Amino acid sequence: MEKNMKWPKWMVWFLILALPLVSSGCFHANKKTGDDDLNALSIRDLPAGPEDAQILVTYLDNVSIDPTYQNILPRLKLVTPQEFDAPANAGKFSFVGRTYGNNAPFRRGLDLPIHEYYVGAGSPWTARDGFRYIFGVKCFPISNYNPDDPYSCPIDATAYNDPVAYSAAGENPGAGIVTLYQFETLGSVGYTTDAQIIWGLLTMQPVIPFRYKAIGYIYHSSQSDRDKRIK
């Protein structure tokens, strides 16, 4: 694998920030194992999530964990509505959904952790370093790493102790809880609650290398998010 495989910065921004905004929004109502089972219902039809939950965002972080390699990498974090709407942060965050953090775990049944780990350059599938996430457990580094194993990570991965956020046990459309997806394509990673994004990448022509998995179950939005944070 080539260590310095990089996409242009504009392409990273496109995948991470633009893709979740280009469609009207659908979600995967009953996740199964097949790629053809992404049956969708309009996200706009979901009930509003709680206003007291924090906002989960994706953003580009300029990091240098490996002193020999530095890049601008997509990452997840929780922010308050005030942080999201602050003029100083304009354009910095892309809305993903709502859930709770360490300040309020176990709220409304969202009590399963979403853990973060860092993959060094030259990972088995992407050939690119970056942050990845695992739902329910901390990542388990193994030498015979399989990217399709939802709970393992490369032997040289750096795992973090504190969860980024807390997840429900599964989808509950009646409460507005939807699947949080992590998807990887051509060395880039993104996050979305919109299954139409996944479907679009799976059916793209010409076919591109693509993987996705569920990394949690969170609220898609609150009423105020729909009013001013989701275009």
Side-chain angles (χ1 to χ4, degrees):
M1 295 289 185
E2 295 181 3
K3 182 174 183 180
N4 292 320
M5 174 183 174
K6 296 183 180 179
W7 271 34
K9 185 182 295 185
W10 70 266
M11 185 64 73
V12 177
W13 274 106
F14 175 80
L15 281 171
I16 304 309
L17 302 179
L19 269 175
L21 304 177
V22 297
S23 74
S24 60
C26 298
F27 85 104
H28 175 202
N30 290 291
K31 183 166 176 59
K32 300 181 177 66
T33 56
D35 290 341
D36 295 329
D37 292 320
L38 292 170
N39 301 314
L41 177 71
S42 174
I43 283 179
R44 295 284 176 177
D45 294 336
L46 292 172
E51 294 283 348
D52 65 333
Q54 287 181 273
I55 297 175
L56 186 67
V57 299
T58 182
Y59 70 108
L60 297 180
D61 189 12
N62 191 358
V63 297
S64 183
I65 294 179
D66 180 348
T68 66
Y69 193 85
Q70 184 168 353
N71 208 339
I72 299 176
L73 304 171
R75 197 172 186 180
L76 289 174
K77 69 183 287 188
L78 281 176
V79 298
T80 65
Q82 293 73 27
E83 290 175 293
F84 188 96
D85 297 328
N89 291 329
K92 179 178 180 180
F93 301 132
S94 180
F95 178 90
V96 177
R98 277 187 178 249
T99 187
Y100 297 95
N102 290 333
N103 59 329
F106 315 118
R107 292 293 301 275
R108 305 176 195 269
L110 279 78
D111 57 356
L112 296 176
I114 298 174
H115 281 288
E116 182 180 50
Y117 65 95
Y118 178 82
V119 180
S123 64
W125 189 72
T126 62
R128 179 168 185 239
D129 65 343
F131 294 93
R132 303 294 187 272
Y133 298 86
I134 285 182
F135 158 64
V137 298
K138 187 176 174 179
C139 87
F140 182 67
I142 57 175
S143 57
N144 58 339
Y145 167 65
N146 175 5
D148 293 322
D149 180 346
Y151 303 116
S152 68
C153 52
I155 192 66
D156 59 348
T158 301
Y160 300 99
N161 292 324
D162 294 334
V164 172
Y166 285 89
S167 161
E171 287 182 335
N172 183 357
I177 295 174
V178 296
T179 304
L180 171 61
Y181 295 102
Q182 173 177 281
F183 60 91
E184 297 181 66
T185 178
L186 298 176
S188 293
V189 62
Y191 312 95
T192 185
T193 57
D194 187 349
Q196 191 66 25
I197 299 299
I198 306 299
W199 180 85
L201 289 167
L202 286 170
T203 57
M204 185 175 290
Q205 295 296 329
V207 177
I208 60 173
F210 178 69
R211 275 193 171 91
Y212 76 95
K213 65 180 179 179
I215 57 169
Y217 303 91
I218 62 175
Y219 291 99
H220 169 69
S221 67
S222 71
Q223 190 62 54
S224 62
D225 297 327
R226 297 181 198 184
D227 291 343
K228 65 181 181 178
R229 298 189 182 98
I230 301 178
K231 306 300 182 184

